[in-house]
Amino acid sequence: MIVLGIESTAHTFGVGIVKEDKSEVKILSNVKDTFVPKEGGMKPSDLGKHHSEKAPEIVKLALDKAGISINNVDYIAVALGPGIGPALRVGATVARALALAFNKKLVPVNHGIAHIEIGRFTTNSVDPLILYLSGGNTIITVFVDGKYRVFGETLDIALGNMMDTFVREVGLAPPYVVNGVHQIDICAEKSENYIKLPYVVKGQDISYSGLLTAALKAVKQEKLEDVCYSLRENAFDMLLEATERALALTAKKELLIVGGVAASVSLKEKLRRLEEEWEIKVKIVPPEYSGDNGAMIAYTGLLAAKMGVTIPIEDSRVRPRWRIDKVDIPWRS
């Protein structure tokens, strides 16, 4: 079985191809192009334009790198949500066109579930507590009774979005990431002087909006590197406090970190200390699969297709607010 997966939920248009042969799964290709604004944040219309222009090239390159033609593909998997509407619609349109033109079945994939499943696959995780951290999501989840249940999440903005907004507003970005390191980490490494900023954990949930507002105000009175350091420390420590509560509740022995923020070096250091204190195994998705990519869509599409999960083209509408706890996971049941 060969599955081609299309990712276009936010700033990245990606195409990945996976193959299962005799129960062995291989990622044949994983090609992507990421939109980086010249200034300011991402405009949905700019994302749609970028993805539309890059789509043919990325699809062709993914097929070429995999050494196959579209005729060898059995299923077309596509991320239908959650995400930004204009970006999602480009991926969905490309997927529908390929499915119609080459008579392939279409497989709907939830972007968040794909982050989780590529993490489980690449780290050989069995039954972990999952920390899903990205630009648009901050979620603590675990698999229970056929679905990924949310044990805790942000009550307002996501961790990645909060950090991106801060570095943009203070003039450090774009670009937001330089040589694999986020601008907030680059700035924070210049200081160890902590200043008081909001720290908000409500049960299993966390809130970042107040922290962001206070940090932006603090920049007017404090050194930028001190604010970066304090913002980062509070943001990660809030997250880990909620994670520890989930570990105590679920008694899991594996903690899996997925999503783009999983690449943070400073977060990894804190997680290693957590690993020792709780006597668990922390597993972090490899950098090439931490950010948005087509391979994770293809792999999750493979899991779904094997269970008979497909969708008629006329029903394949995009779902910008499609939560992970609304998705049935038959391949784990």
Side-chain angles (χ1 to χ4, degrees):
M1 183 185 293
I2 297 178
V3 179
L4 182 149
I6 298 174
E7 158 63 30
S8 72
T9 59
H11 52 32
T12 298
F13 188 90
V15 176
I17 298 174
V18 301
K19 177 181 180 180
E20 183 178 56
D21 187 14
K22 298 179 180 178
S23 297
E24 181 182 3
V25 177
K26 292 182 179 180
I27 297 174
L28 302 183
S29 65
N30 187 33
V31 182
K32 62 182 180 180
D33 192 277
T34 300
F35 173 76
V36 179
K38 293 181 180 179
E39 59 181 10
M42 298 183 299
K43 297 178 181 178
S45 58
D46 289 342
L47 293 177
K49 183 174 183 292
H50 168 270
H51 294 356
S52 297
E53 292 173 349
K54 294 293 181 178
E57 173 190 348
I58 300 301
V59 171
K60 183 179 185 305
L61 190 54
L63 288 167
D64 290 345
K65 285 195 172 186
I68 63 172
S69 77
I70 190 67
N71 294 318
N72 300 123
V73 173
D74 297 297
Y75 294 89
I76 305 294
V78 59
L80 292 180
I84 300 171
L88 283 167
R89 283 192 285 273
V90 175
T93 299
V94 172
R96 294 182 198 117
L98 291 173
L100 277 170
F102 298 98
N103 194 29
K104 309 295 181 182
K105 290 185 177 181
L106 197 62
V107 182
V109 173
N110 177 286
H111 173 85
I113 299 297
H115 270 298
I116 293 170
E117 294 301 344
I118 197 67
R120 288 207 312 127
F121 172 65
T122 55
T123 63
N124 295 312
S125 298
V126 179
D127 186 26
L129 179 71
I130 300 147
L131 201 50
Y132 170 27
L133 310 173
S134 67
N137 296 276
T138 301
I139 295 172
I140 301 167
T141 182
V142 70
F143 181 77
V144 178
D145 294 335
K147 291 184 179 180
Y148 284 103
R149 310 291 177 173
V150 175
F151 274 72
E153 61 187 325
T154 177
L155 296 172
D156 35 60
I157 60 174
L159 174 60
N161 188 11
M162 185 272 292
M163 295 193 301
D164 285 352
T165 301
F166 177 78
V167 296
R168 182 176 68 245
E169 292 299 315
V170 299
L172 294 175
Y176 297 90
V177 177
V178 178
N179 296 325
V181 183
H182 197 279
Q183 290 284 15
I184 201 164
D185 283 320
I186 296 173
C187 177
E189 289 306 311
K190 300 174 184 177
S191 172
E192 289 187 356
N193 181 35
Y194 177 81
I195 61 174
K196 188 174 181 180
L197 290 174
Y199 183 102
V200 184
V201 179
K202 299 182 177 180
Q204 291 282 130
D205 298 322
I206 51 187
S207 172
Y208 285 126
S209 61
L211 175 60
L212 173 62
T213 300
L216 290 172
K217 289 182 179 179
V219 169
K220 299 175 183 178
Q221 300 175 334
E222 308 286 348
K223 291 181 179 179
L224 178 57
E225 55 265 33
D226 293 344
V227 180
C228 287
Y229 173 76
S230 305
L231 172 67
R232 185 187 70 179
E233 290 300 297
N234 273 22
F236 288 165
D237 287 350
M238 287 159 55
L239 180 67
L240 294 184
E241 179 181 333
T243 301
E244 287 185 275
R245 293 181 181 183
L247 284 170
L249 181 63
T250 63
K252 297 295 183 184
K253 293 302 180 183
E254 290 180 311
L255 176 62
L256 173 63
I257 319 300
V258 300
V261 183
S264 171
V265 174
S266 56
L267 177 59
K268 288 178 182 177
E269 292 172 357
K270 289 179 178 289
L271 288 168
R272 293 309 175 200
R273 293 197 291 271
L274 181 75
E275 183 177 46
E276 294 176 3
E277 292 173 4
W278 282 81
E279 297 182 345
I280 60 171
K281 186 64 178 176
V282 172
K283 297 183 176 182
I284 302 174
V285 64
E288 60 266 37
Y289 303 113
S290 62
D292 295 351
N293 64 89
M296 70 183 194
I297 306 302
Y299 176 67
T300 308
L302 173 70
L303 297 176
K306 288 171 63 178
M307 300 304 297
V309 178
T310 60
I311 190 170
I313 289 175
E314 59 269 23
D315 295 335
S316 60
R317 67 187 185 281
V318 299
R319 310 174 197 178
R321 298 182 180 276
W322 194 13
R323 289 178 57 90
I324 64 170
D325 52 5
K326 299 298 183 182
V327 182
D328 291 325
I329 313 295
W331 54 89
R332 290 199 64 182
S333 302

